[in-house]
Amino acid sequence: MNHVSHLECSATGERHEAGEVHGLSRAGWPLLVRYDLDRLANAVTRESLVSAPVAGFWRWAPLLPVARERDRISLGEVTTPLVTLVRSVGETPTNVMVKDEGRLPTGSFKARGLALAVSMARQLGLHHLAIPTNGNAGAALAAYAGRAGMKSTVLCPADTPDINLREIRQHGADVWKVDGLINDCGRIVGEGARTAGWFDVSTLKEPYRIEGKKTMGLELAWQMDWSLPDVIFYPTGGGTGLIGMWKAFQELRQLGWIAGGLPRMVAVQATGCAPIVRAFEAGSTHAVPWQDAHTVAAGIRVPVAIGDFLILDAIRASGGFAMAVDDESILQERDRVAMQDGLLLAPEEAATVAAWRRALETGLVGDDERVVLFNCASGLKYPMAPVNQELDITQDIDFTRFA
Ligand SMILES: *Cc1c(COP(=O)(O)O)cnc(C)c1O
């Protein structure tokens, strides 16, 4: 059972029929799924959804597009916890929580989007999916497509961390290193979709990954007792998560399921690749592609985002802002949170801690506000400093050497 009414072009509002294979809209923009929310409100209540004996985000199935239960591809997705930062936030009393998405299958929140995209691909009878990726999306596609018995082709920038490449290959995808950035990979996937029969599951170039990411917003509302945080800091690459959560909040508000205001949405990028921050500051509707993109935070090294205008809309409509932080402060925060709060953040998410701290110092965020930072992947997927202290068991141990 689902409540999809149609799909809508995010730029022109043009209506597209549900139940057909869709990529971008006829005008070439991302498509958004629309629901009959009145009918949905008569069919289910928020209490019925959260008390259902269904694990993880599939409990939100009535707010998702997968019609038949047998098309759901599931790897045991969990409801990810909100973990309060205690020591790393310093003296000021604060209410800063990390939503730890690293606990999802394949170690990142890309599982949410790809679980939905692959389930819809099964519903629509597709067999061969292809994706450009900085690593995490490729791993999630490979795992879910493999489980669904579909082929996956994955193109990564050549400098993608080895652990990501191996994970993708281990799940049986046809994985290739490309001597370019993610947008170069995306161009090849687009050509393959036109000439080799691939279905392109690039960020926002099909309508369903965003519906999967939307579940972060639904889950957050439930976890916070149906009253949303004051501010959300989101590490922004293609922006699916930020746009998806903003869409979730609109739907929840229309359903009358949340009390109070909506959060200020903050897009966090790295100073080496900050097209959205630059466009926000310039007051532009679209972002100009970033040249020579570089940052340790691979997941947000995205020089061009097709949904740039949707990201910028959500930030502005929510009264939020966009902020870039440098690699040095990213790595500093990763160390601090790992050592003082026991959470191993991915660099992208350490960026949100750095941005929050700067926003607190400059008064953009108050110390009494409820803040949620997104940790989108397990820190275990990223290179860490080597250990080179050694003990020789044939010698007496010199205990003065220990710290
Ligand atoms: C993909 C990714 C992001 C960026 O997410 P978008 O929704 O595409 O902007 C951030 N962090 C990590 C770890 C990622 O894998």
Side-chain angles (χ1 to χ4, degrees), residues 42 93 100 109 141 261 264 271-273 296 307 320 326 370:
N42 286 328
D100 191 6
F109 72 165
L141 173 65
R264 311 205 290 288
T271 47
C273 182
V296 290
D326 60 30
R370 295 189 307 168

Side-chain angles (χ1 to χ4, degrees), residues 193-247:
R194 283 188 296 276
T195 60
W198 304 347
F199 183 73
D200 184 348
V201 288
S202 301
T203 296
L204 292 169
K205 291 188 182 166
E206 60 77 56
Y208 304 115
R209 282 176 63 184
I210 183 178
E211 292 299 298
K213 288 280 193 80
K214 188 178 87 174
T215 61
M216 294 192 290
L218 303 173
E219 206 170 284
L220 190 60
W222 170 37
Q223 285 173 306
M224 299 191 70
D225 210 13
W226 308 105
S227 115
L228 295 167
D230 298 302
V231 195
I232 291 178
F233 284 80
Y234 186 80
T236 306
T240 354
L242 192 148
I243 302 166
M245 279 192 280
W246 191 241
K247 183 172 189 285

Side-chain angles (χ1 to χ4, degrees), residues 236-288:
T236 306
T240 354
L242 192 148
I243 302 166
M245 279 192 280
W246 191 241
K247 183 172 189 285
F249 300 154
Q250 312 300 324
E251 291 171 1
L252 288 171
R253 188 152 67 172
Q254 256 180 285
L255 285 164
W257 288 4
I258 43 173
L262 300 188
R264 311 205 290 288
M265 305 298 285
V266 179
V268 179
Q269 298 197 303
T271 47
C273 182
I276 299 296
V277 178
R278 190 168 60 187
F280 177 76
E281 287 170 355
S284 328
T285 310
H286 287 280
V288 178

Side-chain angles (χ1 to χ4, degrees), residues 109-110 136 213 234-241 299-300 348-349 376-377 382:
F109 72 165
K110 293 294 195 299
N136 289 328
K213 288 280 193 80
Y234 186 80
T236 306
T240 354
I300 54 175
E348 293 82 357
E349 287 62 65
C376 306
Y382 295 77

